[in-house]
Each structure stands twice: as C-alpha cells, then as structure tokens.
C-alpha cells in the first residue's frame, strides 16, 4: 500500500476536446495536470439506467452518505487489523491489498464488477446492494474481532493466575491440601496475601482483629517479591468479620478450595484457551484482510456511482464524458486542482470567472448557490472527488 498518496477522480464532458471524442478528451485531461503534480490514467465507468431527475438528486445524497459509511468501515477494519498485528506497520501493509493487488494497482486498473453489481440493474438496486454489503462486512469483522478479544482476555486472565503475584495467581500448586481445615463444623482456614511491608504488623495484630481467631495459627506458606501468603484459622461464626477486618488492613483474602488434580486441570484449561485464541487470531486476520479488501472495493464502486450520477446532473444528456484518475500526493493535491481549475473554469459558468490577470477566480455568491449554501461545501467547475486509501 502506497503511503502519502491521494487521488482525484475527475469527470469532464468530451466537449473539452475540439473533436468531442473520448480519447482526445482523455489526452486533454492528461495534459491539464503537469506530471510534476500527478499522473492521470483512464477510469472506466459503465453507463447505468438513468431514472428521473428527482431520483438522481436523491441518489446523489444517498451515495454521499454511503461513501461516508464505506470510509468508516474501511477505517474500522484497518484498525482491527492493526490491533491484531500489534501495530506492526510492515505486516499491516502486507495485509492491505485489494483483490490481491496493491491498492494503487487496483485503482489504476479498475474495472466495474459486472458480475457482482450488474450495470443493467436500476441505480437504486445497485446502491441497496452496496449498502447491504458494506453493513455485512462491518458486522462480520466486528463480530469475529470481538470473539478474538474475548478469547484473548480469557487467556490473559488464566496466564495471570499462573504467573502473577500471590494476591492474584492460582494457589493450586502453592497450598498443600493438608494445611487446610476441610471437614470441621466450627473451624475454617483463611488464606491471606500480605503485602511484604505489612507482614510485621500482620503477625502482631491478626489474632485480635476479630473474635475467636485461633492464637498462633498463622502459618507462612509462600512469598514473592510483593506478597507473603499466610494461613490463619478462626471459628466459622466470626469468619466474615475476620475477612472484613483483613481487607480494611489491606491484607488480601484468597478464595481457595482443594480440588484433586486441580493443577493439571488448570494447565489443560490454559492450553485449550491458548489454542482457541490462536485459532481465532488466524480467523480474525483472514476475515480482516478479506473484509478490508471488500470494503475498499465497495467504496470505489460507490465513488464510481457518485461520479456517474454527478456527471449526469452536471453535464446533462446525451451522456458524453471522460473519467480519469489522477494519482498525486496530499501536498500536491491543491496544485493539481489549481491546474484543472485553470483549464476548465469555463465549465462552472458564472460560478467561476477570471481575475485581472486572467486566472480563474470563484464568485463566492454563485459558488454558495451551487453548493446549496452548505458549510464547508467546495465547488469545482467539473466533477471531482478527492480521496485517500490508508
């Protein structure tokens, strides 16, 4: 995927050429933008069934919203891929292909998918198909990515239990079963992870923080860099109070039940979840790669439809136009558009005139009228859509 690349998708009437022929009009378009500012290739758009003027105006609005949706889905799927690949930009670039081609190659050799989106269908049906497809891509990738995240979180939790400190890790392999009182009607054993700086205070005070704590029952079981694990015996009647008072002193009570074969069972569970997480990682990566490709293809088809509809609305019938894709950079986009404005300002009618030096100049009042007075609306005297695929 080419970084730092932007594109202009431009449509002009073939009348820009004196012969009114398509090839000569394409040559005129190519010559309008200096190769220092961009390179132009033909962009083929089929002719679609044209409905009423009111329908075209409505479809233009629908396509604008649909394109925004496509851009959003492409971005979200790209973010999912980036997360799956842990931000590795090189690996991410390898996954971001369109129909198994680099993005730039796909755009420069674009051909309308007549099998998937039959051009003989009404425009409204094609728009509906694209809307359903982009929604489906979004739902499928998001669902699979959520499955992967759930498995990843579960694995991290299990691994923390294996490798964390004594306040969080599993105690199955740490606590000897015979250390715990298990079958008494009156006594019970409490396991407490004591922060190392608080051990002295614990040993001095544990017997008196609640009634009926068995004197001198504290037994050290294990320790690490942060905590020391102790077992303390008390009467069951006052067990809840002992636990409550322990928490107040920042001693961490640990729940633990003796289970035969528990350590082996935990190991098998970690292996099972790790295998599931790895499987979902691969599935999410494959679906993300395919979803990103499909989302970009849908987006480009929507752009092609936007150009077609706007061309009909702008230039009218009979439909004689030439469409070109200009490959440039974000820094050079303004210069490329300025060159196009200079060559084709006359297509804008009253909205574009010339200044004292003969350069194209916009009439703000007419431009505002042409763009419907919308805030931030940028009017050009020809059909032009600017986009980047990142």
């Amino acid at each position: 995927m080419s970084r730092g690349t932007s594109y202009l998708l431009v449509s002009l009437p073939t009348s820009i050429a004196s012969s009114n022929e398509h090839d000569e009009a394409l040559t005129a378009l190519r010559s309008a933008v200096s190769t220092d500012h961009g390179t132009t290739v033909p962009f083929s758009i089929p002719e679609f069934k044209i409905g009423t003027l009111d329908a075209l105006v409505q479809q233009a609005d629908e396509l604008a919203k649909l394109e925004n949706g496509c851009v959003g889905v492409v971005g979200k799927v790209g973010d999912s891929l980036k997360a799956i690949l842990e931000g590795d930009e090189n690996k991410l670039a390898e996954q971001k292909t369109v129909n198994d081609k680099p993005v730039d190659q796909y755009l420069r050799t674009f051909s309308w998918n007549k099998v998937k989106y039959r051009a003989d269908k009404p425009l409204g049906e094609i728009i509906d198909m694209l809307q359903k497809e982009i929604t489906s891509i979004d739902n499928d990738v998001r669902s699979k990515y959520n499955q992967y995240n759930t498995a990843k979180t579960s694995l991290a939790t299990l691994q923390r239990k294996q490798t964390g400190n004594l306040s969080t890790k599993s105690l199955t392999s740490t606590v000897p079963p015979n250390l715990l009182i298990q079958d008494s009607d009156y006594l019970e054993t409490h396991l407490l992870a004591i922060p190392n700086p608080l051990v002295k205070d614990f040993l001095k005070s544990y017997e008196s923080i609640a009634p009926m704590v068995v004197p001198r029952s504290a037994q050290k079981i294990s320790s690490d860099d942060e905590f020391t694990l102790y077992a303390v015996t008390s009467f069951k009647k006052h067990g809840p109070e002992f636990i409550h008072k322990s928490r107040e002193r920042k001693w961490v009570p640990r729940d633990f039940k003796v289970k035969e074969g528990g350590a082996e069972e935990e190991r098998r569970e970690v292996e099972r979840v790790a295998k599931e997480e790895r499987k979902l990682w691969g599935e999410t990566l494959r679906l993300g790669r395919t979803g990103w490709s499909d989302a970009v293809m849908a987006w480009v088809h929507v752009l092609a439809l936007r150009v077609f509809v706007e061309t009909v609305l702008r230039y009218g019938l009979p439909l004689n136009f030439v469409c070109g894709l200009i490959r440039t950079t974000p820094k050079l986009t303004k210069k490329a558009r300025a060159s196009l404005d200079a060559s084709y300002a006359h297509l804008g009618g009253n909205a574009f005139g010339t200044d004292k030096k003969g350069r194209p100049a916009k009439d703000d009042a007419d431009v505002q009228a042409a763009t419907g007075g919308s805030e931030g609306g940028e009017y050009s005297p020809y059909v032009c859509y600017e986009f980047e695929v990142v």
Side-chain angles (χ1 to χ4, degrees):
M1 183 178 58
S2 299
R3 288 199 163 275
T5 303
S6 64
Y7 298 92
L8 299 174
L9 193 54
V10 179
S11 168
L12 293 161
T14 54
S15 60
I16 61 171
S18 56
S19 65
N20 206 34
E21 291 183 354
H22 180 277
D23 290 347
E24 189 175 333
L26 179 62
T27 300
L29 172 58
R30 279 178 165 149
S31 62
V33 179
S34 164
T35 53
D36 292 335
H37 300 155
T39 56
T40 306
V41 295
F43 191 90
S44 178
I45 299 177
E47 289 196 21
F48 301 96
K49 286 186 176 180
I50 300 170
T52 64
L53 178 60
D54 286 345
L56 282 173
V57 172
Q58 181 180 346
Q59 286 160 355
D61 290 338
E62 291 173 356
L63 286 166
K65 294 175 183 176
L66 181 53
E67 191 200 344
N68 286 335
C70 290
V71 172
V73 171
V74 170
K76 285 189 284 186
V77 176
D79 288 342
S80 297
L81 276 173
K82 188 173 183 178
I84 284 285
L85 297 169
E86 299 179 339
D88 189 317
E89 292 292 345
N90 292 328
K91 290 181 179 178
L92 183 62
E94 291 174 3
Q95 298 299 321
K96 284 187 171 182
T97 59
V98 184
N99 203 22
D100 294 325
K101 300 176 184 177
V103 173
D104 187 67
Q105 182 182 347
Y106 172 77
L107 290 171
R108 292 166 70 86
T109 59
F110 174 78
S111 176
W112 183 269
N113 189 335
K114 294 180 180 178
V115 175
K116 200 170 188 179
Y117 314 110
R118 286 174 49 186
D120 60 348
K121 293 278 189 181
L123 273 174
E125 285 188 27
I126 300 173
I127 293 170
D128 286 343
M129 288 172 61
L130 285 161
Q131 177 67 69
K132 289 176 182 176
E133 181 178 13
I134 202 69
T135 301
S136 176
I137 293 168
D138 186 24
N139 291 338
D140 290 348
V141 174
R142 185 172 63 249
S143 175
K144 182 61 70 174
Y145 182 64
N146 288 340
Q147 286 181 40
Y148 165 71
N149 267 340
T150 300
K152 183 181 178 182
T153 301
S154 298
L155 179 61
T157 301
L158 289 171
Q159 289 174 334
R160 260 197 316 274
K161 288 181 178 180
Q162 300 295 315
T163 61
N165 59 46
L166 287 167
S167 71
T168 58
K169 70 181 292 186
S170 169
L171 301 178
T172 303
S173 59
T174 303
V175 178
N178 59 8
L179 191 67
L180 305 179
I181 298 173
Q182 300 181 48
D183 300 318
S184 172
D185 292 333
Y186 303 103
L187 298 175
E188 63 183 349
T189 304
H190 305 286
L191 297 176
L192 298 168
I194 312 299
N196 288 336
L198 303 181
V199 168
K200 287 185 179 180
D201 175 65
F202 163 76
L203 292 172
K204 287 180 182 179
S205 58
Y206 78 90
E207 296 175 357
S208 59
I209 65 170
M212 304 187 77
V213 177
V214 176
R216 299 183 183 179
S217 63
Q219 295 184 60
K220 180 180 176 180
I221 300 172
S222 182
S223 63
D224 58 28
D225 292 340
E226 299 176 66
F227 292 87
T228 300
L229 185 67
Y230 279 90
V232 175
T233 303
S234 79
F235 278 74
K236 287 184 176 180
K237 180 180 178 180
H238 297 284
E241 184 179 353
F242 178 79
I243 293 298
H244 176 70
K245 295 292 186 180
S246 295
R247 288 197 173 99
E248 286 184 345
R249 291 172 173 263
K250 301 190 186 309
W251 306 343
V252 184
R254 295 298 315 275
D255 290 329
F256 177 73
K257 292 183 180 179
V258 176
K259 188 175 182 180
E260 190 175 345
E264 178 62 22
E265 185 177 316
E266 284 183 359
R267 185 188 64 79
R268 286 199 300 267
E269 179 66 5
V270 171
E271 289 180 354
R272 183 191 69 78
V273 175
K275 185 177 180 181
E276 177 69 10
E277 187 262 357
R278 197 63 193 171
K279 172 175 168 286
L280 285 169
W281 182 89
E283 290 176 357
T284 306
L285 180 64
R286 287 191 292 275
L287 187 60
R289 175 191 173 98
T290 303
W292 194 84
S293 172
D294 290 346
V296 172
M297 284 192 283
W299 176 18
V300 177
H301 280 75
V302 169
L303 276 168
L305 284 178
R306 289 198 75 184
V307 169
F308 178 83
V309 170
E310 184 65 23
T311 295
V312 177
L313 291 173
R314 186 77 70 92
Y315 307 139
L317 299 173
L319 199 57
N320 295 308
F321 71 102
V322 61
C323 185
L325 179 73
I326 301 172
R327 182 182 188 270
T328 181
T329 68
K331 289 183 178 180
L332 293 175
T333 298
K334 285 187 177 181
K335 291 183 178 180
R337 294 197 71 154
S339 297
L340 290 168
D341 288 348
S343 298
Y344 304 116
H346 63 278
L347 296 174
N350 293 333
F352 275 72
T354 56
D355 60 18
K356 293 180 180 179
K357 295 183 179 180
R359 295 175 300 191
K362 298 179 184 179
D363 183 315
D364 290 338
D366 286 324
V367 167
Q368 189 172 14
T371 57
S374 59
E375 184 178 348
E378 183 176 348
Y379 180 79
S380 63
Y382 45 87
V383 178
C384 181
Y385 291 103
E386 179 182 337
F387 64 99
E388 292 181 53
V389 184
V390 294

